[in-house]
């Protein structure tokens, strides 16, 4: 499985933008980039995913480098509720086998200060 | 209820006990998963079910026995566990197994298991 590299931790101030980086230099041409987050005492939750183009949804934006070797999850205005561990995960476009599984790393622990 | 629910939320058991964890999803999904999250370790995928059939077992010891009677329910039967099996056990479901839209997984809150 292609691997990702994320900083162990980051800090942000409330109501400021947060840019969470992820390096995936060995990404294959068909791997999707997925982001999940895990709030304290909860299971992970899906945030966003993309393939080549930048993506926006109600939770966040995903900026993907042109060479796809890195990506950045952008929280436009961090709130205290955004304090969580954020996981960047590569998923092969498998339609039934193990290559489509979510392989979680250690993620980035985001702290948000009031 | 909506989403993915898990019961119990907390469980303490002795090494000789037999217990079961239950997961239920109200999302109409076809795939269900068991994960284990130990302290200081990343989430580990344990089992995958697709349309009630087990499609993956990631070398999980036989003291963990999954059961999927239908697409909405998933159980994890536990027997003769060890203290190192203490962890957060998470259930998830997805519409299908794809990486494209529809394949995102929805997780339950987990069962915090302590084995004495």
């Amino acid at each position: 499985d292609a691997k990702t590299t994320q900083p162990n931790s980051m800090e942000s101030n409330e109501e400021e933008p947060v840019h969470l980086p992820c390096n995936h230099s060995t990404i294959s041409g068909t791997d999707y980039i997925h982001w999940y987050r895990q709030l304290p005492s909860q299971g992970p939750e899906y945030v966003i995913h993309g393939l080549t183009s930048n993506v926006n949804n109600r939770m966040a934006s995903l900026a993907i480098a042109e060479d796809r070797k890195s990506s950045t999850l952008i929280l436009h205005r961090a709130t205290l509720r955004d304090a969580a561990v954020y996981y960047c995960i590569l998923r092969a476009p498998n339609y039934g086998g193990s290559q489509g599984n979510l392989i979680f790393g250690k993620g980035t622990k985001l702290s948000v200060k009031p | 209820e909506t989403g993915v629910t898990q019961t119990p939320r907390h469980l303490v058991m002795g090494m000789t006990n037999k217990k079961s964890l239950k997961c239920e999803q109200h999302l109409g999904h076809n795939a269900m998963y068991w994960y284990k999250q130990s302290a200081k370790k990343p989430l580990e995928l344990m089992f995958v079910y697709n349309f009630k059939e087990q499609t993956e077992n990631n070398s999980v010891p036989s003291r963990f026995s999954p059961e999927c009677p239908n697409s909405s329910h998933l159980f994890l039967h536990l027997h003769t566990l060890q203290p190192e099996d203490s962890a957060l056990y998470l259930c998830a479901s997805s519409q299908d197994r794809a990486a494209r839209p529809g394949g995102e997984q929805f997780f339950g809150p987990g069962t915090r298991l302590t084995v004495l």
Side-chain angles (χ1 to χ4, degrees), chain A residues 8-81:
Chain A
N8 289 333
S9 62
M10 290 183 65
E11 279 191 352
S12 172
N13 294 317
E14 195 176 13
E15 298 188 4
E16 290 186 356
V18 182
H19 291 232
L20 296 162
C22 181
N23 288 321
H24 29 78
S25 58
T26 59
I27 190 171
S28 77
T30 54
D31 284 343
Y32 285 78
I33 302 161
H34 285 244
W35 285 81
Y36 281 73
R37 72 178 184 181
Q38 187 171 17
L39 303 170
S41 302
Q42 295 188 29
E45 64 175 344
Y46 167 81
V47 178
I48 200 167
H49 79 283
L51 184 61
T52 55
S53 303
N54 294 344
V55 185
N56 300 295
N57 67 19
R58 64 174 181 80
M59 290 181 71
S61 296
L62 177 60
I64 301 173
E66 196 168 333
D67 63 4
R68 298 202 341 116
K69 293 183 184 297
S70 66
S71 60
T72 302
L73 180 71
I74 303 166
L75 306 180
H76 295 286
R77 289 183 69 208
T79 68
L80 296 178
R81 193 192 174 278

Side-chain angles (χ1 to χ4, degrees), chain A residues 32 34 36 38 41-46 49 87 91-106, chain B residues 9 33 35 37 40 42-43 45 48 55-56 58 88 90 96-101 103-110:
Chain A
Y32 285 78
H34 285 244
Y36 281 73
Q38 187 171 17
S41 302
Q42 295 188 29
E45 64 175 344
Y46 167 81
H49 79 283
Y87 300 98
R91 289 183 77 188
N94 189 316
Y95 292 81
S98 63
Q99 293 91 334
N101 289 337
L102 289 176
I103 308 298
F104 287 83
K106 295 182 179 180
Chain B
R9 294 293 308 276
Y33 313 78
Y35 289 85
Q37 187 171 33
K40 301 180 182 179
L43 277 86
L45 179 64
V48 181
T55 56
E56 289 187 52
N58 277 348
L88 181 68
L90 290 155
D96 57 38
R97 298 290 315 284
R100 55 177 169 70
E104 52 267 33
Q105 294 184 17
F106 293 76
F107 286 78

